[in-house]
Amino acid sequence: MKEKNKLIKTHKKLNPLSIFVPEIYEFILKREIIITADGSTTIHMPDWNEQYHSKHGAIQEAYHVFIKNGLETHAGADLSILEIGFGTGLNCFITLLEASKRDLKIDYVGVEAYPIQEDEILQLNYVSELESRNFAHKFEEMHLLHWDERQRVHEDFFLTKRQQFINDIDDVNKFDLIYFDAFGARVQPELWTENIFQKMYTSLKKNGVLVTYSAKGSVRRAMQAVGFTVTRLPGPPGKREMLHALKP
Ligand SMILES: C[S@@+](CC[C@H](N)C(=O)[O-])C[C@H]1O[C@@H](n2cnc3c(N)ncnc32)[C@H](O)[C@@H]1O
């Protein structure tokens, strides 16, 4: 009952048109923590047989797709990033570690409709797997921050966690880079459509880039249809390819 009240409170902040979605998601779908092939944890959703990250290695996937083919391809030291699906905070945490190594100034917006719970956060082993004990409190802090407020996490790293549905994103010319990390098109096809990629395109600055682990033909075509120049790149362990989409 307590859970239900909490959920109703959450609903009020969200678009009423989308209200049916969280009920399906939170009441039917279970979440459990599992260990992936590189030793790092992720969340498994048995009802969908879907994970928050690749079973072949959560950290390896995040580094390959979002850091090597995303963050590292950006020339400037000043960068605004939109993450689609903040989830466990792994991509945000890795970006923070990389930014602090390379003196980058980052404005990071993580969109998430269904934040994970404290007991789940405590079971995630990213701090130890990334040998980043000095940043342990930063990982906690990222999760403890209030939603919908821009706050400094570390030196030049600012984070805004937005409790928002992807469909409600309406930013214009704001981001240099998008980490598109929604669940796969097999389980959430509505998030891999022209409609959503049009929103992503509009939210990017000129020469902005979107990277994603998916390499599906239908996803590539939806991106191209809204104007992206799409390149297939070698994928992370366990995946042949991934997509890099440029707003020309
Ligand atoms: C593949 S997981 C993301 C993993 C995340 N990037 C991480 O590193 O943990 C997809 C995320 O999208 C969120 N999500 C699913 N549907 C959504 C929607 N319609 N709007 C916003 N977030 C959504 C899920 O709750 C989940 O956290």
Side-chain angles (χ1 to χ4, degrees):
M1 200 53 179
K2 208 169 134 220
E3 268 309 298
K4 188 155 193 170
N5 287 342
K6 203 164 112 201
L7 194 66
I8 290 165
K9 225 168 105 198
T10 308
H11 281 171
K12 288 198 180 137
K13 291 167 66 187
L14 300 170
N15 181 343
L17 291 174
S18 312
I19 274 175
F20 69 96
V21 180
E23 283 177 357
I24 293 170
Y25 192 101
E26 296 214 4
F27 287 124
I28 301 178
L29 299 183
K30 280 196 229 95
R31 296 194 297 228
E32 46 194 46
I33 309 289
I34 61 163
I35 307 272
T36 67
D38 65 3
S40 58
T41 44
T42 192
I43 299 178
H44 173 63
M45 305 175 77
D47 303 287
W48 276 356
N49 191 22
E50 179 79 358
Q51 286 70 235
Y52 276 47
H53 309 95
S54 163
K55 283 202 280 195
H56 298 279
I59 287 181
Q60 279 182 12
E61 177 190 48
Y63 256 105
H64 181 88
V65 177
F66 302 111
I67 304 300
K68 180 167 172 252
N69 290 312
L71 188 73
E72 285 182 3
T73 64
H74 189 269
D78 203 336
L79 195 63
S80 59
I81 300 177
L82 171 67
E83 177 175 17
I84 297 300
F86 181 81
T88 61
L90 172 60
N91 294 335
C92 182
F93 186 56
I94 291 182
T95 305
L96 168 66
L97 298 180
E98 292 301 307
S100 89
K101 274 188 220 156
R102 295 190 237 154
D103 284 335
L104 302 178
K105 181 174 185 306
I106 307 258
D107 218 318
Y108 197 103
V109 174
V111 168
E112 175 60 63
Y114 316 102
I116 63 169
Q117 305 299 310
E118 199 182 326
D119 62 315
E120 295 171 308
I121 297 164
L122 292 172
Q123 294 177 67
L124 299 172
N125 67 3
Y126 302 137
V127 170
S128 58
E129 287 298 308
L130 288 161
E131 297 175 2
S132 53
R133 292 242 171 272
N134 295 349
F135 284 83
H137 58 296
K138 297 290 172 192
F139 184 67
E140 276 166 34
E141 208 178 307
M142 274 167 28
H143 281 287
L144 292 173
L145 287 186
H146 290 152
W147 288 84
D148 305 306
E149 277 173 35
R150 180 177 181 269
Q151 288 162 88
R152 171 183 266 125
V153 178
H154 182 67
E155 294 170 2
D156 276 335
F157 193 101
F158 291 83
L159 171 61
T160 311
K161 293 189 299 175
R162 279 201 215 150
Q163 192 165 7
Q164 183 184 35
F165 285 110
I166 294 163
N167 205 29
D168 295 336
I169 293 174
D170 58 2
D171 302 277
V172 179
N173 291 335
K174 186 164 171 184
F175 302 105
D176 298 294
L177 181 60
I178 297 180
Y179 296 166
F180 197 86
D181 200 15
F183 289 126
R186 179 182 62 86
V187 294
Q188 285 195 302
E190 70 280 8
L191 299 182
W192 299 86
T193 56
E194 282 182 33
N195 174 43
I196 296 292
F197 289 121
Q198 182 64 64
K199 286 174 187 292
M200 298 299 110
Y201 190 90
T202 306
S203 74
L204 280 172
K205 296 179 193 165
K206 189 167 179 279
N207 292 323
V209 162
L210 176 154
V211 274
T212 184
Y213 64 86
S214 175
K216 264 179 100 76
S218 57
V219 170
R220 181 167 45 85
R221 286 189 291 278
M223 291 172 171
Q224 285 167 334
V226 303
F228 279 114
T229 303
V230 186
T231 311
R232 282 183 285 202
L233 298 174
K239 276 210 104 224
R240 205 157 53 88
E241 290 179 327
M242 58 163 279
L243 297 178
H244 174 283
L246 170 76
K247 176 174 178 173

